[in-house]
Amino acid sequence: MTPSRFLVTGGAGYVGSHVVLALLDAGHEVVVFDSLRTGHRAAVPPQVRFVHGDLADLPLLDSVLADGPWDGVLHFAALSLVGESMAQPLMYMSANGALGFNLIDACVRHGVKRFVFSSTAALFGSAGDAPIDENTNIDPGSPYGESKLVVERALYWADKIHGLRSACLRYFNAAGSDPLGRAGEDHRPETHLIPLVIDAALGRRDALTLFGQDYPTPDGSCIRDYIHVSDLAQAHLAVLPLLKERSVTFNVGTGRGASNLEVIRSVERVSGLTVPWNLGARRPGDPASLVASPALLMRETGWRPEYTELDKTVATALAWRQDHPVGYGDE
């Protein structure tokens, strides 16, 4: 791929920071725009220009985009807690939806031609046991999912009317950390299962609560598709060439599911430690199984996940949390 220049919003966050590393590794120039509401300044490599700003600040956003040309914008800046969105739906529709519209509009005005959007499998709600492909019925089960859907629709019209080509990548469960230890997972509070299980094993938190063990799955616990964050990052680079001709939408996962109990057993195998855990009641809205069908992405881009074994993904997450006991530090 020819060296290019990209603006990455939310590039100080978990997925965004790994995409920044992938872009740098491929020889591209990157500028990160982040409010640090949930991201970390230390997650941005020192050679990357960092702009501390919010997408609500239209003059600042215009000044950044005016400093072109840009070969594309990759948009990760968003709130992402499903439970929080159920309590504060309008905050999510504003932070993810309305501010996403701000960015899309600014890209159109400044002549940006390619846009990659961090979407979500939360668009599908309870989709059943079969792997979820791009034709699966969309039925967001939360304001978080809805806030991502409205941005997808805005991008559809931005393409149809203004020619802004976009890729909507519907992530399943991002997991793991950069294998070279340059970036990792540091949510505050942490809500993702793998780091919670690891912290329980390391004695950094109380016993884990497993929500529900009476689902219609082989071991009774929920099943999810865990895609290594570095594989996810490579998917963003893989779709860029397609945007010279058309907009695309892809589901991004491994095509394999792992249950909550399997995650616990994986952490125990990799760490050699025992995970203390308790059984709790189901959480409202948790589907029994969410597994991607990434066949379309593979077929159209040649992308393939390297981390197809859960233990290998867990090993990178464990290494990060052992080497960074306080994440990116006290900020």
Side-chain angles (χ1 to χ4, degrees), residues 14 170-176 194 224-233 235 252-256 292 294 297 303-307 310 313:
Y14 175 42
R170 296 167 175 171
Y171 307 167
F172 281 63
N173 289 57
I194 289 177
R224 297 291 182 266
D225 187 336
Y226 293 95
I227 172 76
H228 193 282
V229 67
S230 295
D231 285 335
L232 184 56
V252 191
T254 67
R256 300 181 180 182
L297 174 63
W303 172 87
R304 294 288 186 279
E306 293 186 15
Y307 290 83
L310 181 61
T313 296

Side-chain angles (χ1 to χ4, degrees), residues 274-295:
T274 298
V275 176
W277 64 278
N278 301 309
L279 184 62
R282 287 192 189 192
R283 292 184 301 188
D286 270 352
S289 179
L290 285 175
V291 178
S293 170

Side-chain angles (χ1 to χ4, degrees), residues 87-124:
Q88 301 187 67
L90 298 183
M91 180 177 76
Y92 267 69
M93 296 304 292
S94 176
N96 295 353
L99 296 188
F101 299 162
N102 283 355
L103 178 61
I104 295 167
D105 181 61
C107 286
V108 169
R109 288 188 283 104
H110 290 278
V112 175
K113 298 301 183 185
R114 295 189 293 177
F115 191 108
V116 182
F117 176 50
S118 166
S119 193
T120 176
L123 268 62
F124 299 111

Side-chain angles (χ1 to χ4, degrees), residues 15-199:
V15 176
S17 64
H18 285 80
V19 173
V20 168
L21 291 175
L23 289 168
L24 292 176
D25 290 345
H28 301 303
E29 180 185 349
V30 180
V31 176
V32 167
F33 186 102
D34 201 298
S35 69
L36 299 182
R37 182 173 182 176
T38 58
H40 305 279
R41 180 64 180 86
V44 181
Q47 69 269 39
V48 170
R49 179 190 166 201
F50 175 73
V51 179
H52 185 195
D54 193 285
L55 293 175
D57 187 342
L58 296 182
L60 177 60
L61 184 58
D62 275 328
S63 71
V64 171
L65 285 170
D67 183 25
W70 299 98
D71 293 287
V73 169
L74 296 93
H75 178 41
F76 302 91
L79 301 179
S80 61
L81 300 181
V82 171
E84 182 180 59
S85 79
M86 297 296 285
Q88 301 187 67
L90 298 183
M91 180 177 76
Y92 267 69
M93 296 304 292
S94 176
N96 295 353
L99 296 188
F101 299 162
N102 283 355
L103 178 61
I104 295 167
D105 181 61
C107 286
V108 169
R109 288 188 283 104
H110 290 278
V112 175
K113 298 301 183 185
R114 295 189 293 177
F115 191 108
V116 182
F117 176 50
S118 166
S119 193
T120 176
L123 268 62
F124 299 111
S126 296
D129 298 334
I132 298 169
D133 64 19
E134 290 74 11
N135 295 318
T136 301
N137 183 52
I138 291 176
D139 182 23
S142 68
Y144 165 65
E146 190 76 28
S147 72
K148 291 287 190 173
L149 177 59
V150 296
V151 176
E152 286 199 12
R153 294 304 300 165
L155 286 168
Y156 168 82
W157 289 107
D159 178 4
K160 193 173 184 68
I161 296 173
H162 299 293
L164 175 62
R165 303 289 185 257
S166 63
C168 295
L169 299 185
R170 296 167 175 171
Y171 307 167
F172 281 63
N173 289 57
S177 297
D178 174 58
L180 299 180
R182 298 172 295 176
E185 190 164 8
D186 184 3
H187 299 110
R188 304 182 186 183
E190 186 57 70
T191 61
H192 289 183
L193 180 61
I194 289 177
L196 289 175
V197 175
I198 289 171
D199 283 353

